């Protein structure tokens, strides 16, 4: 039946990233429960969640041991103003310090966007107080394609034009550079040479802006929502060297890559390079509760000490930051990640799934590149493997829709780069079994075969 605007909307919920026109005259499916890697709707249909919510349900759905902790903490101490200290929040900060292995302090908030906003403010205040150029060091450099959140600063750092239409101008001082993108690099360059060139252009950007005006460079170790783009091995080390040369702080946005997603506990471990500030959210409590963290190395934290009247302390508070229930739940979720060695499973089953996809789609004309790390992979869809022209939108929608109809939910880099929203995203819970991986591969492959020219 054709929908018309005279038909009523189904309810009063304003859904994110949704054109509600399409919902007129329909009744959206309600999801009612979930266990492991599967979500069940009101009619009893089961869906394998191959995107782990928003790649956050790392330990899988329906863990009673996590729910038990939340219940008990709500009874013991359901809330505490964050200027006071609850047991769970102190323990969680301690736990993160131990896991990261360097001296640090942890500021808690409730979302990845807030964690990044916090990082930007800390970076600016740090330079002011470290005597590193003072208020002039305010600029934040980030990369095209990267997503860093939806609040004004995090959106400004995001390098995805479609996420900004209608919401700009944003705050001043946010600058973008190209990330290494081997699939679309100049054909005469090796991946490493291409990465060197991207790093060189980052340095040129810093110099041209005036290094004394640049506060920080933020990057995900591996771009996720922007299309799963794996950096060549030399890139992050070069970035670190450039930041050090120019007194620029390096921020790793580990909102997606933290807590096992890339097959290591933290994403940056792959590239053996450390940042000055780290942000975490999604996997921190595996989607059981909102919680986020901004972790700063001690040399940064030290610059915030002084007399209260000096205004050297961090003058930000989040009502729900460091929430005792969220902290207790995060601690329990992390314990599951550790006890079940989920980074290793992410690596093992993720590698297996990517190999299977590469085999079954080896000759598919639309499969431009299949790439990723651990339990996160992207399939870049193109009309033609030679020209690499992105696949038409309706065909991508057909593939995603067919997968859902056949019981597998996956993602896509939608509303990101104009004309470049052509990457299918697969990032299931880290507990995925080989059989479940086979189901994803079979469903995606069948959906792709149906749309072949
Ligand atoms: C890399 C990255 N950083 C930050 C965010 C923002 O997190 P949130 O949606 O919790 O604000 C996201 C969300 O998808 C993300 O993928």
């Amino acid at each position: 039946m054709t929908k018309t605007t005279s038909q009523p909307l189904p309810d009063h919920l304003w859904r994110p990233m949704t054109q509600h026109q399409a919902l007129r005259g329909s009744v959206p499916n309600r999801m009612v429960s979930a266990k492991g890697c599967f979500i069940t709707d009101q009619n009893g249909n089961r869906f394998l969640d191959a995107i782990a919510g928003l790649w956050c349900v790392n330990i899988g759905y329906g863990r009673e041991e996590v729910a038990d902790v939340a219940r008990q903490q709500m009874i013991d101490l359901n809330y505490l103003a964050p200027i006071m200290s609850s047991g769970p929040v102190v323990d969680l900060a301690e736990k993160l310090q131990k896991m990261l292995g360097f001296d640090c302090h942890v500021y808690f908030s409730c979302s990845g966007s807030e964690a990044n906003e916090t990082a930007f403010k800390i970076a600016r205040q740090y330079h002011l107080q470290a005597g590193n150029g003072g208020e002039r060091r305010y600029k934040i450099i980030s990369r095209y394609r990267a997503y860093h959140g939806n609040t004004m600063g995090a959106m400004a750092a995001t390098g995805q034009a479609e996420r900004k239409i209608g919401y700009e101008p944003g705050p001043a001082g946010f600058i973008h550079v190209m990330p290494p993108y081997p699939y679309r690099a100049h054909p005469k360059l090796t991946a490493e040479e291409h990465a060197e060139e991207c790093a060189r252009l980052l340095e040129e950007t810093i110099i041209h802006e005036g290094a004394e005006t640049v506060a920080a460079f933020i990057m995900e170790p591996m771009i996720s929502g922007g299309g799963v783009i794996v950096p060549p091995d030399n890139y992050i080390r070069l970035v670190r060297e450039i930041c050090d040369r120019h007194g620029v702080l390096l921020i790793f946005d580990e909102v997606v890559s933290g807590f096992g997603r890339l097959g290591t506990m933290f994403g940056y471990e792959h590239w053996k390079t450390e940042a000055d500030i780290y942000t975490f959210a999604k996997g921190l409590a595996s989607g059981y509760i909102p919680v986020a963290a901004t972790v700063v190395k001690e040399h940064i934290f030290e610059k915030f000490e002084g007399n209260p009247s000096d205004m050297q302390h961090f003058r930000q508070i989040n009502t729900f930051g460091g929430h005792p229930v969220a902290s207790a739940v995060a601690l329990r979720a992390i314990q599951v990640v550790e006890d079940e060695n989920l980074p290793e499973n992410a690596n093992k089953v993720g590698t297996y799934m990517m190999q299977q996809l590469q085999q079954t789609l080896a000759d598919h004309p639309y499969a431009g590149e299949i790439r990723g790390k651990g339990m996160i992979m992207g399939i870049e869809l193109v009309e033609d493997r030679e020209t690499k022209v992105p696949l038409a939108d309706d065909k991508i929608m057909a593939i995603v829709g067919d997968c859902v109809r056949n019981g597998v939910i996956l993602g896509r880099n939608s509303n990101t780069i104009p004309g470049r929203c052509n990457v299918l995203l697969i990032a299931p819970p880290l507990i995925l079994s080989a059989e479940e991986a086979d189901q994803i591969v079979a469903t995606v492959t069948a959906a792709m075969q149906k749309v072949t020219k």
Side-chain angles (χ1 to χ4, degrees):
M1 191 175 79
T2 332
K3 291 172 190 145
T4 70
T5 47
S6 61
Q7 291 182 295
L9 284 164
D11 49 43
H12 293 275
L13 177 64
W14 192 336
R15 295 164 176 83
M17 307 290 294
T18 302
Q19 177 42 263
H20 284 66
Q21 169 95 33
L23 297 181
R24 284 191 182 274
S26 70
V27 181
N29 207 5
R30 281 194 195 190
M31 300 297 169
V32 290
S33 63
K35 188 83 189 160
C37 295
F38 289 86
I39 306 178
T40 304
D41 73 9
Q42 59 196 354
N43 302 314
N45 301 310
R46 290 173 85 230
F47 300 87
L48 202 172
D49 185 4
I51 192 73
L54 284 179
W55 29 40
C56 57
V57 189
N58 289 6
I59 63 174
Y61 292 95
R63 297 267 190 173
E64 287 191 21
E65 63 270 43
V66 180
D68 289 345
V69 164
R71 182 178 190 282
Q72 193 55 52
Q73 187 59 46
M74 282 187 188
I75 293 166
D76 293 345
L77 179 64
N78 69 294
Y79 177 79
L80 194 70
I83 47 167
M84 291 189 263
S85 319
S86 72
V89 77
V90 174
D91 292 349
L92 182 57
E94 191 81 8
K95 179 69 188 168
L96 293 179
Q97 186 278 319
K98 287 216 169 69
M99 291 175 85
L100 289 161
F102 48 74
D103 211 4
C104 60
H105 270 76
V106 186
Y107 184 94
F108 288 105
S109 55
C110 302
S111 69
S113 304
E114 286 173 87
N116 285 333
E117 294 283 347
T118 302
F120 301 152
K121 286 169 74 176
I122 288 174
R124 287 179 175 180
Q125 192 180 346
Y126 162 80
H127 286 297
L128 183 65
Q129 292 169 188
N132 263 356
E135 280 170 358
R136 289 193 64 209
R137 263 208 198 256
Y138 67 93
K139 293 178 188 166
I140 308 290
I141 305 183
S142 57
R143 302 183 302 165
Y144 287 110
R145 291 198 84 104
Y147 183 71
H148 294 297
N150 58 16
T151 47
M152 280 313 223
M155 181 190 75
T158 292
Q160 303 178 348
E162 292 190 353
R163 294 290 170 106
K164 306 187 191 189
I165 299 168
Y167 315 128
E168 290 183 303
F174 286 81
I175 291 143
H176 295 90
V177 294
M178 286 306 295
Y181 189 178
Y183 181 62
R184 292 187 181 275
H186 194 290
K188 286 195 177 142
L189 299 179
T190 63
E192 306 257 311
E193 287 165 349
H194 167 59
E196 268 173 39
E197 183 59 5
C198 291
R200 191 184 71 77
L201 290 173
L202 165 64
E203 183 157 32
E204 285 298 311
T205 305
I206 293 173
I207 291 167
H208 282 75
E209 287 293 327
E212 71 288 353
T213 70
V214 181
F217 178 61
I218 182 168
M219 59 177 286
E220 289 179 273
M222 184 182 96
I223 287 178
S224 50
V228 184
I229 304 177
V230 188
D233 283 343
N234 57 339
Y235 175 72
I236 299 184
R237 180 180 45 79
L238 293 173
V239 166
R240 178 73 265 184
E241 288 168 11
I242 292 165
C243 288
D244 286 345
R245 264 202 294 281
H246 297 284
V248 171
L249 294 180
L250 179 57
I251 304 170
F252 282 163
D253 178 337
E254 289 255 6
V255 166
V256 171
S257 54
F259 305 96
R261 175 63 54 198
L262 304 196
T264 44
M265 187 58 82
F266 301 110
Y268 73 90
E269 289 171 42
H270 278 289
W271 294 279
K272 299 181 177 57
T273 305
E274 290 187 5
D276 302 294
I277 302 179
Y278 298 77
T279 58
F280 300 103
K282 300 178 186 270
L284 178 51
S286 274
Y288 279 77
I289 204 157
V291 59
T294 305
V295 178
V296 305
K297 282 200 170 154
E298 211 56 11
H299 70 273
I300 296 173
F301 180 74
E302 281 164 6
K303 300 290 177 217
F304 288 73
E305 283 188 44
N307 294 320
S309 58
D310 292 344
M311 295 285 182
Q312 302 259 60
H313 52 290
F314 190 45
R315 297 179 309 284
Q316 171 175 306
I317 188 161
N318 299 61
T319 300
F320 297 122
H323 196 286
V325 180
S327 304
V329 166
L331 276 165
R332 191 65 188 87
I334 292 171
Q335 195 187 325
V336 175
V337 173
E338 289 184 331
D339 288 353
E340 300 182 12
N341 202 353
L342 294 183
E344 190 181 293
N345 194 60
N347 193 31
K348 200 175 87 198
V349 180
T351 305
Y352 166 75
M353 180 160 58
M354 194 153 78
Q355 283 165 352
Q356 293 301 107
L357 281 168
Q358 280 164 342
Q359 264 175 35
T360 61
L361 295 173
D363 299 321
H364 197 290
Y366 295 159
E369 188 179 48
I370 300 165
R371 54 184 182 241
K373 262 198 192 304
M375 199 67 88
I376 170 166
M377 54 212 75
I379 306 175
E380 177 146 1
L381 300 171
V382 290
E383 291 285 352
D384 178 296
R385 285 176 159 195
E386 285 294 308
T387 62
K388 299 184 180 174
V389 170
L391 191 64
D393 216 53
D394 56 338
K395 290 182 185 160
I396 302 174
M397 296 293 283
I399 294 167
V400 174
D402 191 78
C403 287
V404 175
R405 276 191 298 283
N406 287 289
V408 172
I409 299 169
L410 41 77
R412 178 197 169 185
N413 65 331
S414 52
N415 292 161
T416 56
I417 317 299
R420 294 277 176 90
C421 300
N422 60 321
V423 183
L424 294 181
L425 308 174
I426 301 175
L430 310 186
I431 55 168
L432 195 82
S433 67
E435 295 70 42
E436 289 161 344
D438 289 340
Q439 185 185 339
I440 296 171
V441 173
T443 309
V444 173
T445 306
M448 295 255 310
Q449 272 153 4
K450 283 183 212 163
V451 294
T452 311
K453 289 181 226 196

